[in-house]
Amino acid sequence: MVADQAYPHYRQLLDNSWLGEAICWTVLVPHDGSPLSLADIGERVSETGQYTVYETATFEHEGVFLHLSDGAPWAMLVDRSDRHVALFEYNGFRSVYPPVLPRLSMGGRAYSAYWNVNRTNSVGFAVDGEMVLSFDAMYAEEARRLPGWERWPQVGEILPYFDWRKGESCWAAALTAIELATDVRLGEEWIAEASSFITG
């Protein structure tokens, strides 16, 4: 998927949906294609080992998840395949920061983007337990000076899309960078189809 197709998707998605308010989107790509179990994910995300897994055939109760997201220390939708794990948090940020993102990246690569209504945000990339790159999406150009910049080349490829001063959406750009690196797309249909969620 090329950037000029992915970016308009995210721009439209965030401009016309509650998704533009406050989310965290994280995608893990295992090196060997071995899918993580829900228990593996719960252990990696949890600081204490305390978490609860909910499995459903389809995610039909969006309101339940949104309520849990506001009431639990953390809550995330989970989608797993043999090539990736995708995690979605509404108004949460657990996955994007150390030590969670590096733990999620063990045995693979993990990418994450988070923002809230106050424009607090972070975009992160970790590999094999190491936090490689973390930056503020509103000042992505400054991240070119950070160690690890070259290890996420898709951010550099779409850097002009981060320029909110020129009317672009740095949030849409962050999601585009994740899709370009993982070939995984976030959309409202993904949320409707997510089959599991975890809280802690």
Side-chain angles (χ1 to χ4, degrees):
M1 181 64 66
V2 295
D4 61 1
Q5 295 173 311
Y7 177 77
H9 162 78
Y10 290 114
R11 187 67 190 260
Q12 182 178 17
L13 177 71
L14 300 179
D15 284 349
N16 298 311
S17 167
W18 55 268
L19 293 169
E21 295 179 0
I23 68 168
C24 184
W25 173 244
T26 305
V27 179
L28 296 65
V29 182
H31 294 319
D32 62 3
S34 299
L36 293 175
S37 69
L38 290 171
D40 290 333
I41 298 165
E43 289 293 335
R44 292 187 186 196
V45 173
S46 175
E47 298 280 357
T48 64
Q50 302 296 314
Y51 59 89
T52 303
V53 172
Y54 302 82
E55 294 190 74
T56 58
T58 58
F59 188 67
E60 299 174 345
H61 304 292
E62 180 179 293
V64 174
F65 174 72
L66 297 182
H67 175 73
L68 285 168
S69 296
D70 286 336
W74 58 271
M76 56 186 60
L77 293 177
V78 181
D79 178 55
R80 298 174 300 138
S81 76
D82 60 0
R83 63 182 186 86
H84 75 266
V85 173
L87 307 173
F88 174 87
E89 300 170 69
Y90 170 67
N91 203 23
F93 53 85
R94 192 166 188 85
S95 296
V96 75
Y97 294 116
V100 175
L101 191 63
R103 283 204 303 259
L104 287 169
S105 76
M106 294 297 295
R109 300 173 284 129
Y111 304 83
S112 190
Y114 150 73
W115 62 85
N116 69 16
V117 294
N118 298 318
R119 297 193 171 199
T120 302
N121 76 91
S122 185
V123 181
F125 169 45
V127 179
D128 288 327
E130 172 198 0
M131 195 72 174
V132 174
L133 182 64
S134 180
F135 64 93
D136 185 322
M138 296 183 68
Y139 305 99
E141 184 152 333
E142 297 178 9
R144 293 187 300 177
R145 298 192 293 269
L146 296 175
W149 170 260
E150 298 296 331
R151 295 177 65 183
W152 192 355
Q154 293 84 2
V155 176
E157 292 168 13
I158 64 166
L159 196 56
Y161 289 130
F162 282 90
D163 195 346
W164 54 274
R165 295 179 184 88
K166 293 185 177 179
E168 302 293 350
S169 168
C170 54
W171 312 148
L175 297 179
T176 299
I178 293 174
E179 178 173 330
L180 295 178
T182 65
D183 200 30
V184 178
R185 172 164 286 189
L186 173 63
E188 290 186 342
E189 66 283 355
W190 181 91
I191 294 170
E193 295 168 1
S195 59
S196 307
F197 60 102
I198 304 175
T199 65

